[in-house]
Amino acid sequence: MVEIVVLVKRVPDTNARIVVDSGKVDLSMVKWVMSPYDEFAIEAALRHREATGGKVTALTLGSADCDKILKDAKAIGVDELVRVWDDSWAEMDSNSLQSVLSSVILGLGAQVVYCGKAAADTGAGSTCPGVAERLGWASISNITDISFENGIKVTCPFDGGSAKVAIPLPAVISCDKGAFKVRKPNVKGIMMAKRAQVEVRSETAPASTVSVVNQSAPPQKAEGKKYNSADSAGEVARLLRDEANVI
Amino acid sequence: MSETIVIAEINNGVVADVTAELVSAVIAFGGSPTIIVPCVNSSIADGAGFTGAGRVIACKGPMFASYDAAGWANALDAVTPAGSIFVAASPRSKDLAARIAARRNIPVVQDVVAIDGSNLTSPVYSGKAMQTVNASADVVVSVRANIFAAAVSVPADVSVIDQSGDVLTAVEELLARSSERLDVAEANIIISGGRGMSSPENFSHLERIADVLGAAVGASRAAVDTWDDIPHGMQVGQTGKTVNPNLYIAVGISGAIQHLAGMRSSKYIVAINKDADAPIFQYADYGIVATWEETLPILEKSLAAMM
Ligand SMILES: Cc1cc2nc3c(=O)[nH]c(=O)nc-3n(C[C@H](O)[C@H](O)[C@H](O)COP(=O)(O)OP(=O)(O)OC[C@H]3O[C@@H](n4cnc5c(N)ncnc54)[C@H](O)[C@@H]3O)c2cc1C
Ligand SMILES: Nc1ncnc2c1ncn2[C@@H]1O[C@H](COP(=O)(O)O)[C@@H](O)[C@H]1O
């Protein structure tokens, strides 16, 4: 039986306005959701289970507030919910975060891990290759489709186009939107999610050596030039050459 | 401080221009980098000498013919001295950065756009905020293109190290490129169309301008979702590609927050939209309030006359 883990992270809704106050992002008013690409990772994990049998465990690193997204994952079909947390973990760098995730993944006996292409807050895309390296596993990032006949084959960007790539297990696979359609929870799923238990684990985390100094609003662009007629396209072309120097 | 290292960006088998920018990034970090060139043929490393940088190491091996995360990280890690490592923030090199960082149990900071000593700034929350972090120990950093000035090229003093490496993934089949065009993620100039283009056939007007400029053609999600002929690979934005070109021309695109997330860091933005209140105009350096039907022919003619 294949042990499948899917990583999910709680992030501010991507529609939320991000307010910066005295050098810090103020997230007290935002709505929180599962990071959008993680929904595609769940879809890939569920397809894997359907193709080969097995069990899907959703794993998050975060405080008790994150139970909600684990239950959202349960409602669309994952089997087990695991959360790892220690109240002393305020701010973690990638090394600390991946070290904890890797230990839990090993502890769960996983053979394959699915995660999002990039978390909506960090935008980094570090977790898939980083966790795979720690585990000594194969990895492939930003897949847009997957099939399970004759081993696992994924579609992913390659040399400016795309390619079908065979990947051996164990592996970590990060998911882009591509052909993945996110399932809607059905009534039974929602009922199961309500009753579902989240298993909380603890781990030791190495100290972080990267720490946040300051957060700020993105630099305001100088007000642009605005024209009200199509004829100005000639003038804009000239400015792109003479003022902006970009052509 | 320990050593600093630049892993050269390789594109189509040659050292890409962004490598010279990485040298300037390391200088801002307070270092003078050793340059490592992953290659199949070590002669390409001759193009990797820069003022302000130190020695050049060509890391040569057959696995560099095509990308495999584990194979590349393994081979490059073996020839890279201890220290902080800088790569370009391309999808492939970000992947590599995370692998090498994990291998060394050091953190990685991605998509850096400003460096002041060991303070590194990158966008967070899809570019809705900027975050500066301090690295108190060795770190792997990916740096966005088109931000740091390019260091000056000088003749390189290259030493070659042969590496072998196992690859874990196997390419089974190359799928046709969605088009013969440049990918938006690789382009310095992008012209994108949105729902305002009314039909996929009308993207030919964008392609003609792209041909004049050597640009890539992109699209909004509304265009990709509405028309099968506009593939997902062209989508710019939060669920599409993040781009950072010198010039981004948005045509018939309203400027939704999710589209902005993928392109707002473009150096110059031109918007063509018939609605004067479209949000895209707040981000445009040059905005034209008119229909594309009227505007694009004039733009094409003017650009063609200049090139
Ligand atoms: C979770 C999530 C993720 C998303 N990810 C993305 C993403 O990655 N990328 C993305 O782009 N969107 C994304 N979206 C969708 C986004 O919210 C917008 O719906 C989308 O960007 C709108 O595309 P558009 O500007 O082409 O269309 P519209 O908003 O319909 O705008 C069309 C524009 O064309 C103009 N126009 C019409 N006719 C003409 C004409 N003849 N000449 C000139 N102008 C004309 C109109 O004035 C209008 O401003 C996402 C949404 C969600 C919820
Ligand atoms: N704290 C976390 N808990 C669980 N999964 C995470 C966490 N952080 C990142 N991930 C996973 O890794 C993916 C990429 O995150 P990142 O590397 O930060 O861009 C996310 O989409 C998640 O699937």
Side-chain angles (χ1 to χ4, degrees), chain A residues 7-9 35 37-38 59-62 97 101 114-119 122-128:
Chain A
L7 299 178
V8 293
K9 184 179 188 188
S35 188
Y37 291 113
D38 300 356
L59 167 63
T60 196
L61 182 160
L97 172 94
L101 288 176
Y114 292 93
C115 69
K117 158 184 163 175
T122 66
S126 302
T127 307
C128 164

Side-chain angles (χ1 to χ4, degrees), chain A residues 11-18 20 25 27 32 36-37 40 91 93-96 98-99 117-118 120-134 136-142 144 153 155-168 170 172 174 176-178 208-247, chain B residues 65-70 73-74 91-92 94-96 98-111 119-121 123-139 168-178 181 183 186 189 213 221 225 232 235 237-242 246-247 249 257-258 264 266-270 276-278 281-291 294-296 298-299 302-303 305-307:
Chain A
V11 298
D13 186 338
T14 55
N15 282 312
R17 210 164 74 83
I18 298 292
V20 183
V25 162
L27 299 176
W32 295 84
Y37 291 113
F40 308 129
E91 201 188 279
D93 65 17
S94 67
N95 180 49
S96 185
Q98 292 168 13
S99 159
K117 158 184 163 175
D121 49 359
T122 66
S126 302
T127 307
C128 164
V131 166
E133 184 66 37
R134 267 159 225 277
W137 293 5
S139 71
I140 197 116
S141 295
N142 308 346
T144 53
K153 309 250 166 70
T155 308
C156 63
F158 190 83
D159 274 355
S162 61
K164 205 171 243 183
V165 175
I167 182 160
V172 187
S174 84
D176 198 345
K177 176 170 186 261
S208 292
T209 60
V210 162
S211 56
V212 176
V213 178
N214 172 62
Q215 291 168 320
S216 59
Q220 276 296 324
K221 274 196 118 158
E223 176 128 18
K225 298 193 166 93
K226 202 165 162 188
Y227 303 89
N228 283 312
S229 91
D231 296 332
S232 57
E235 168 73 355
V236 168
R238 191 187 64 74
L239 289 170
L240 288 174
R241 183 187 59 186
D242 299 341
E243 185 177 76
N245 286 316
V246 287
I247 56 174
Chain B
S66 94
Y67 183 67
D68 173 77
N74 200 349
R92 186 171 86 185
K94 285 176 66 176
D95 210 55
L96 183 67
R99 276 262 177 190
I100 294 179
R103 209 176 166 85
R104 297 182 167 205
N105 289 309
I106 61 177
V108 58
V109 180
Q110 305 276 22
D111 292 300
N119 281 354
L120 309 166
T121 304
V124 287
Y125 304 106
S126 316
K128 288 188 261 183
M130 305 302 290
Q131 174 166 288
T132 302
V133 297
N134 181 265
S136 62
D138 289 344
V139 63
L168 296 178
T169 53
V171 174
E172 300 257 310
E173 179 189 350
L174 283 178
L175 305 174
R177 288 183 72 132
S178 43
R181 302 198 153 270
D183 189 88
E186 300 166 3
I189 302 181
L213 292 173
R221 171 154 156 192
D225 285 357
H232 178 68
Q235 185 179 318
Q238 185 192 301
T239 38
K241 291 178 177 150
T242 302
N246 278 328
L247 173 60
I249 307 176
I257 188 83
Q258 296 90 354
R264 66 190 284 166
S266 305
K267 208 169 225 168
Y268 282 90
I269 296 172
V270 172
D277 295 326
F281 285 123
Q282 290 163 30
Y283 300 85
D285 299 280
Y286 305 110
I288 302 176
V289 184
T291 65
E294 296 170 281
T295 313
L296 291 183
I298 300 172
L299 185 64
S302 312
L303 290 170
M306 282 165 36
M307 303 304 277

Side-chain angles (χ1 to χ4, degrees), chain A residues 14-15 36-37, chain B residues 193-198 219-223 225 232 235-241 251-260 272-275 278-280 290-293:
Chain A
T14 55
N15 282 312
Y37 291 113
Chain B
R195 198 188 337 245
M197 294 306 293
S198 312
S220 72
R221 171 154 156 192
D225 285 357
H232 178 68
Q235 185 179 318
V236 172
Q238 185 192 301
T239 38
K241 291 178 177 150
V251 186
I253 292 179
S254 58
I257 188 83
Q258 296 90 354
H259 190 79
L260 291 166
I272 300 170
N273 196 304
K274 68 177 185 188
D275 174 8
I280 190 77
T291 65
W292 63 262
E293 289 91 333

Side-chain angles (χ1 to χ4, degrees), chain A residues 52-223:
Chain A
T52 67
K55 185 171 102 226
V56 179
T57 302
L59 167 63
T60 196
L61 182 160
S63 68
D65 295 332
C66 303
D67 284 352
K68 165 82 173 58
I69 60 152
L70 287 175
K71 295 196 169 198
D72 292 345
K74 177 81 187 177
I76 50 180
V78 311
D79 301 297
E80 310 275 336
L81 309 177
V82 175
R83 182 165 65 78
V84 57
W85 185 242
D86 185 303
D87 283 331
S88 68
W89 299 343
E91 201 188 279
M92 288 175 121
D93 65 17
S94 67
N95 180 49
S96 185
L97 172 94
Q98 292 168 13
S99 159
V100 169
L101 288 176
S102 305
S103 305
V104 179
I105 288 163
L106 269 188
L108 289 168
Q111 287 127 295
V112 61
V113 175
Y114 292 93
C115 69
K117 158 184 163 175
D121 49 359
T122 66
S126 302
T127 307
C128 164
V131 166
E133 184 66 37
R134 267 159 225 277
L135 298 169
W137 293 5
S139 71
I140 197 116
S141 295
N142 308 346
I143 70 160
T144 53
D145 206 356
I146 191 162
S147 71
F148 300 94
E149 296 105 44
N150 308 315
I152 300 183
K153 309 250 166 70
V154 301
T155 308
C156 63
F158 190 83
D159 274 355
S162 61
K164 205 171 243 183
V165 175
I167 182 160
L169 296 189
V172 187
I173 298 173
S174 84
C175 301
D176 198 345
K177 176 170 186 261
F180 297 112
K181 294 258 182 311
V182 177
R183 301 178 193 199
K184 294 268 174 291
N186 56 26
V187 176
K188 179 163 160 260
I190 294 168
M191 294 302 294
M192 301 238 306
K194 275 204 181 118
R195 289 195 304 269
Q197 291 294 311
V198 174
E199 183 200 336
V200 182
R201 298 200 174 195
S202 62
E203 272 294 333
T204 48
S208 292
T209 60
V210 162
S211 56
V212 176
V213 178
N214 172 62
Q215 291 168 320
S216 59
Q220 276 296 324
K221 274 196 118 158
E223 176 128 18

